[in-house]
């Protein structure tokens, strides 16, 4: 137990697609971005911060070695806005803020519980398809695998430079690996946002069919 420790979650690919209960779970900071499961263009960093974390921040003795990302500059502005008073530090990226607002309104209108369930359902479908193709996921168990994306090892003998361009030719952009130790060994398929909440768009099926076809074009034959 470490009651003094602040718990900070990198929620970039989970906020909006994954159950997160900040207060209930005692999380102090959830940090995310506009472009993934929140479904808005990139450009905004979005933070949820607990009272405790704000308290720790206010009590810090060392100066913040940052100008724009210094909460000392933004908190008074936010307090003023909440009090309906004009205030200025720097012009925010207003187009991005409007886009995020639209996205958040859609998310709230649908209801987050429904959204979590839809992402879980889509993830189960994708992961089952991957398993049935004979491929292996990077997470070692489904109980701790993300619901907003799937990280998948390339099959033996097939590299990123074989598979990703073929997927691309089918109109599907998959991302390469990021984890330094195994980056070249796996790829990522995102299944979040409208691709999941508006299944009538057919994004998921198109992606899975393209994956199967691209693997076949690479000469891959699933082991029976
Ligand atoms: C995408 C992602 C990032 C990187 O965010 P960028 O804004 O693209 O730099 C960080 N953490 C997680 C968990 C992510 O999924």
């Amino acid at each position: 137990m470490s009651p003094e420790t602040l718990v900070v979650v990198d929620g970039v690919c989970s906020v909006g697609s994954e159950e997160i209960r900040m207060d209930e779970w005692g999380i102090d900071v959830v940090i995310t971005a506009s472009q993934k499961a929140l479904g808005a263009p990139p450009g905004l960093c979005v933070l949820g911060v607990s009272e405790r974390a704000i308290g720790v921040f206010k009590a810090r003795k060392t100066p913040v070695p940052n100008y724009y990302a210094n909460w000392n500059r933004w908190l008074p502005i936010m307090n003023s806005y909440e009090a309906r008073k004009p205030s200025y530090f720097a012009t925010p990226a207003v187009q991005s803020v409007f886009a995020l607002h639209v996205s958040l309104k859609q998310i709230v209108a649908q209801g987050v519980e429904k959204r979590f369930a839809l992402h879980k359902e889509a993830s189960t479908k994708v992961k089952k398809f991957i398993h049935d193709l004979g491929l292996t996921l990077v997470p070692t168990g489904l109980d701790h695998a993300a619901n907003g994306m799937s990280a998948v090892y390339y099959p033996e003998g097939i590299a990123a430079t074989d598979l990703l361009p073929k997927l691309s030719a089918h109109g599907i952009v998959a991302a390469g690996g990021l984890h330094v130790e195994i980056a070249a060994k796996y790829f990522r398929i995102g299944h979040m946002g409208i691709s999941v909440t508006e299944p009538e768009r057919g994004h998921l099926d198109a992606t899975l069919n393209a994956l199967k076809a691209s693997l076949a074009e690479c000469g891959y034959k699933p082991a029976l």
Side-chain angles (χ1 to χ4, degrees):
M1 291 292 281
S2 178
E4 300 300 314
T5 306
L6 293 174
V7 177
V8 179
V9 172
D10 172 347
V12 177
C13 96
S14 56
V15 173
S17 63
E18 206 77 62
E19 181 184 12
I20 300 178
R21 314 243 178 233
M22 200 173 164
D23 295 335
E24 234 171 275
W25 298 351
I27 303 171
D28 294 292
V29 182
V30 174
I31 182 163
T32 188
S34 44
Q35 77 271 21
K36 289 196 188 158
L38 291 180
L44 298 178
C45 172
V46 182
L47 287 176
V49 183
S50 69
E51 291 282 344
R52 194 164 82 107
I54 296 270
V56 170
F57 175 75
K58 285 188 171 156
R60 70 180 276 163
K61 305 245 169 1
T62 49
V64 178
N66 197 302
Y67 184 75
Y68 191 79
N70 182 346
W71 294 358
N72 281 323
R73 294 202 170 84
W74 285 111
L75 286 172
I77 308 291
M78 295 169 120
N79 288 335
S80 298
Y81 277 12
E82 280 181 358
R84 298 274 181 255
K85 287 196 207 118
S87 193
Y88 172 79
F89 159 52
T91 304
V94 284
Q95 297 94 326
S96 301
V97 174
F98 279 122
L100 177 66
H101 188 230
V102 170
S103 197
L104 293 178
K105 276 200 295 194
Q106 290 170 347
I107 290 170
V108 171
Q110 183 175 46
V112 290
E113 302 300 334
K114 168 97 181 156
R115 193 173 173 91
F116 296 155
L118 286 172
H119 280 82
K120 196 156 193 163
E121 207 178 290
S123 177
T124 303
K125 174 176 163 161
V126 172
K127 288 171 173 62
K128 182 176 184 307
F129 189 93
I130 288 164
H131 178 262
D132 290 348
L133 276 178
L135 302 183
T136 309
L137 292 172
V138 173
T140 52
L142 291 178
D143 58 340
H144 55 264
N147 288 310
M149 70 121 185
S150 295
V152 191
Y153 285 111
Y154 298 105
E156 195 69 37
I158 295 177
T161 45
D162 301 319
L163 184 64
L164 299 186
K166 290 196 168 56
L167 273 170
S168 187
H170 285 274
I172 303 296
V173 179
L178 282 179
H179 192 293
V180 272
E181 284 152 37
I182 52 169
K185 295 187 178 163
Y186 76 100
F187 60 101
R188 293 170 294 149
I189 300 173
H191 33 86
M192 54 178 74
I194 57 167
S195 295
V196 166
T197 58
E198 298 175 15
E200 64 278 11
R201 291 175 185 263
H203 290 180
L204 225 50
D205 288 328
T207 303
L208 297 179
N209 292 337
L211 176 63
K212 191 173 181 178
S214 303
L215 283 166
E217 288 160 23
C218 290
Y220 171 72
K221 287 189 188 62
L224 292 175

